[in-house]
Amino acid sequence: MLNKEIKEKLRAIVGTEHVLDANLDRFGYSYDSSFVPLLPANKPDVVVRPRTTAEVAAVMALANEHSIPVTPRGAASGRTGGSIPLAGGISLALDRMTSIVEFDEKNMMVTVEAGVRTIDLYNFGAERGLFYPPDPASWKFSTIGGNIAENAGGMRAVKYGVTTNYVMGLEVVLADGTVIHTGGKAIKNVTGYDLTSLFTGSEGTLGVITKAILRLIPMPKLRNTLQLMFPSLDDACNTIHKMLQSGVIPAAAELMDKTCIQAVARHRKMDIDPAIEACVVIEIDADDTEALAKQSKQIEEIAKSFYVVEVRIAASPQEAEDIWAIRRGLSSAVGAMAPNRLGEDISVPRDAFPEIVRRIRGISEKYRLPIAVYGHAGDGNIHPSVLCDLSNEEEAARVHQAVDEIFAAALAVGGTLSGEHGIGITKRDYIVSALGEGGVRTLKAIKQALDPKGILNPGKIWN
Ligand SMILES: Cc1cc2nc3c(=O)[nH]c(=O)nc-3n(C[C@H](O)[C@H](O)[C@H](O)COP(=O)(O)OP(=O)(O)OC[C@H]3O[C@@H](n4cnc5c(N)ncnc54)[C@H](O)[C@@H]3O)c2cc1C
């Protein structure tokens, strides 16, 4: 399908050095940060690294003409296998498109190319007193294109929302190479269908995002961090609900269950009371010290009314950093507990948080598998991690049953399959249970209209 002649045409479009077809290069583009196993069949035939929108458009037109599969790729930090080229063809790496094209100070907006790293955008804003809030934990390496394609979230979602809340407009190259522009800088815009939202979260299946207009907000002047320890999970969750109801909206409210706390204690050689069932880490921000202190006080009082046993309010930026280091180090601490860790990403209504954690505990007991639960309790997004040894066939079968039941439990309490990582390959078998036959038919109709030959990221979202 992808013969010598086509490779020559690709070289003519992007330059010889930006078309990679050595076996080792192809291997390097055959996996991402998900738990999808390495398979030789997932190697692309060729890796193409365009620099401009015109080059992306020319690559897509050529691929469409010859029905060659194209899998867009940012930093490959995706957790659901989205950038794995299941059908071979072209791995379209956007990592050379790294310009911040325009800074519009008056409108507080930036136009960036898709390959800009999230942290670079954050720093660009911060140097100008502005704030780009979406903060996936992968922000040091993930790209804005990948963030938009997955509608990435992060810890600050509870107060500031997720990627889609900052995307004003997009430049997208469609499957046939047509370049379109959606949305724009106008804040109110109801001209036609909301294509900006459609492409946001489309996981590289509807078009290649080449540029984005993103809004920034003023950077809060002050921040502080609190760590609360509870002997009961319900009390920890009730503290968060009460806090939000009382009008204290934290920038982040993260919860770790007992398995996580014990993992961190072991990893960092800390002594933590074994009676502690839940740890909540909260970040607050404000523009003056008085407002910040008022929020801390309110949170402390609410936590006390729910029997908190330890309240630590960071007395310095260093102490705040130390508290967050525990949360950030959680993934490796939990990962060190077993040969394999199957991390999931479900999302439930906020009030269902204790119920879903209880159900996950039941699943953990039923299948005799430790499951560590942590998540963004402020917005109901939970990451259960099944700790296991997948080389043991009998155990691997139990793991798959446990994961099936976790998804079923999420749906049963009114939640959904993914809060921020998308569907990709790993959850595609569950999509009908979440959206129903009619819902999936609607997705397929949209796909058919925009990509009739099905060349963009085939095999993702549904099987
Ligand atoms: C340690 C770690 C922590 C993480 N924490 C979070 C978190 O807190 N919150 C969160 O939401 N996610 C998190 N993730 C998941 C991941 O980082 C995000 O999904 C991120 O948005 C992916 O960006 P990327 O550039 O790596 O995209 P990739 O992984 O390369 O691609 C992801 C998907 O987007 C598509 N895509 C990429 N670029 C484009 C483009 N320009 N146009 C069209 N489609 C494109 C790909 O085809 C693929 O389907 C984490 C991952 C890791 C490894």
Side-chain angles (χ1 to χ4, degrees):
M1 189 187 350
L2 216 159
N3 56 30
K4 219 171 138 198
E5 194 189 328
I6 291 173
K7 282 188 196 169
E8 278 315 309
K9 286 189 177 167
L10 289 169
R11 290 192 178 99
I13 295 169
V14 298
T16 304
E17 67 275 37
H18 303 303
V19 175
L20 315 175
D21 62 354
N23 199 28
L24 196 59
D25 288 323
R26 290 165 50 228
F27 172 75
Y29 287 77
S30 69
Y31 59 90
D32 67 359
S33 306
S34 66
F35 302 94
V36 175
L38 274 175
L39 290 176
N42 292 345
K43 277 193 287 197
D45 294 305
V46 69
V47 179
V48 179
R49 300 176 64 227
R51 175 64 198 92
T52 64
T53 302
E55 289 177 8
V56 174
V59 171
M60 290 310 304
L62 183 70
N64 197 51
E65 185 190 340
H66 297 279
S67 301
I68 300 166
V70 178
T71 303
R73 186 176 178 100
S77 69
R79 290 294 206 187
T80 53
S83 64
I84 298 177
L86 278 187
I90 297 172
S91 173
L92 190 69
L94 281 304
D95 60 337
R96 290 178 63 229
M97 298 188 65
T98 55
S99 296
I100 294 184
V101 180
E102 187 205 39
F103 171 49
D104 180 341
E105 191 175 357
K106 277 195 184 152
N107 284 310
M108 293 197 291
M109 287 179 202
V110 281
T111 304
V112 301
E113 288 183 333
V116 167
R117 286 185 311 163
T118 319
I119 192 167
D120 293 335
L121 173 60
Y122 174 87
N123 287 337
F124 180 89
E127 283 157 17
R128 291 157 180 80
L130 294 171
F131 185 28
Y132 179 69
D135 61 339
S138 52
W139 71 323
K140 288 191 179 160
F141 37 90
S142 68
T143 66
I144 290 299
N147 290 174
I148 295 170
E150 295 288 4
N151 192 11
M155 292 198 271
R156 298 196 185 107
V158 54
K159 180 166 184 176
Y160 294 105
V162 297
T163 303
T164 192
N165 303 113
Y166 296 86
V167 183
M168 298 295 297
L170 293 173
E171 179 183 84
V172 180
V173 178
L174 300 180
D176 66 358
T178 306
V179 181
I180 63 164
H181 294 90
T182 73
K185 291 185 185 172
I187 290 173
K188 295 172 91 175
N189 183 343
V190 289
T191 307
Y193 297 143
D194 184 355
L195 295 178
T196 308
S197 296
L198 177 65
F199 286 105
T200 305
S202 64
E203 303 192 25
T205 62
L206 299 182
V208 182
I209 296 155
T210 44
K211 289 195 189 88
I213 304 172
L214 302 166
R215 78 186 175 94
L216 306 173
I217 60 174
M219 180 70 88
K221 294 194 174 61
L222 300 168
R223 290 196 170 112
N224 206 358
T225 298
L226 293 86
Q227 179 183 283
L228 313 172
M229 297 291 202
F230 293 89
S232 136
L233 181 73
D234 284 276
D235 285 334
C237 292
N238 284 332
T239 297
I240 293 170
H241 295 152
K242 192 77 186 170
M243 177 177 73
L244 294 168
Q245 282 162 357
S246 72
V248 181
I249 311 290
E254 298 287 298
L255 186 141
M256 300 173 235
D257 79 346
K258 188 170 184 164
T259 311
C260 294
I261 297 167
Q262 296 302 328
V264 170
R266 202 168 316 149
H267 206 236
R268 298 176 70 95
K269 300 190 173 41
M270 293 159 67
D271 275 333
I272 294 184
D273 180 351
I276 300 296
E277 286 283 331
C279 168
V280 176
V281 178
I282 292 174
E283 182 178 278
I284 45 173
D285 59 21
D287 283 339
D288 59 75
T289 38
E290 215 174 294
L292 202 66
K294 192 175 164 205
Q295 286 184 57
S296 305
K297 185 99 200 107
Q298 272 177 287
I299 294 171
E300 191 176 356
E301 275 166 14
I302 293 168
K304 280 184 180 158
S305 73
F306 288 107
Y307 316 108
V308 68
V309 290
E310 189 190 314
V311 178
R312 182 177 170 196
I313 302 175
S316 64
Q318 184 53 51
E319 192 177 353
E321 192 42 48
D322 291 347
I323 296 174
W324 279 111
I326 295 175
R327 169 64 183 86
R328 274 196 284 269
L330 186 59
S331 189
S332 26
V334 168
M337 289 173 73
N340 300 101
R341 177 175 70 95
L342 223 68
E344 279 308 341
D345 156 52
I346 53 173
S347 187
V348 299
R350 216 160 36 205
D351 71 330
F353 207 100
E355 174 60 17
I356 189 75
V357 176
R358 262 191 293 277
R359 288 186 185 220
I360 293 171
R361 278 191 186 158
I363 295 167
S364 165
E365 277 164 31
K366 179 173 170 189
Y367 292 102
R368 293 171 283 118
L369 294 164
I371 304 180
V373 180
Y374 60 95
H376 316 301
D379 56 40
N381 185 192
I382 301 164
H383 299 302
S385 284
V386 185
L387 305 170
C388 53
D389 179 359
L390 292 175
S391 67
N392 174 333
E393 262 179 49
E394 182 273 330
E395 185 164 324
R398 274 189 280 129
V399 170
H400 291 300
Q401 284 169 315
V403 169
D404 285 355
E405 286 197 23
I406 290 173
F407 289 142
L411 298 177
V413 301
T416 186
L417 300 178
S418 174
E420 52 185 23
H421 294 169
I423 301 300
I425 302 170
T426 58
K427 299 188 191 180
R428 61 184 183 178
D429 292 343
Y430 304 94
I431 189 84
V432 175
S433 62
L435 301 184
E437 298 283 354
V440 175
R441 239 189 346 264
T442 309
L443 298 191
K444 288 182 179 174
I446 294 169
K447 168 79 174 169
Q448 175 65 23
L450 288 175
D451 178 17
K453 292 188 172 179
I455 60 166
L456 267 170
N457 215 354
K460 309 298 162 62
I461 305 185
W462 58 82
N463 198 344

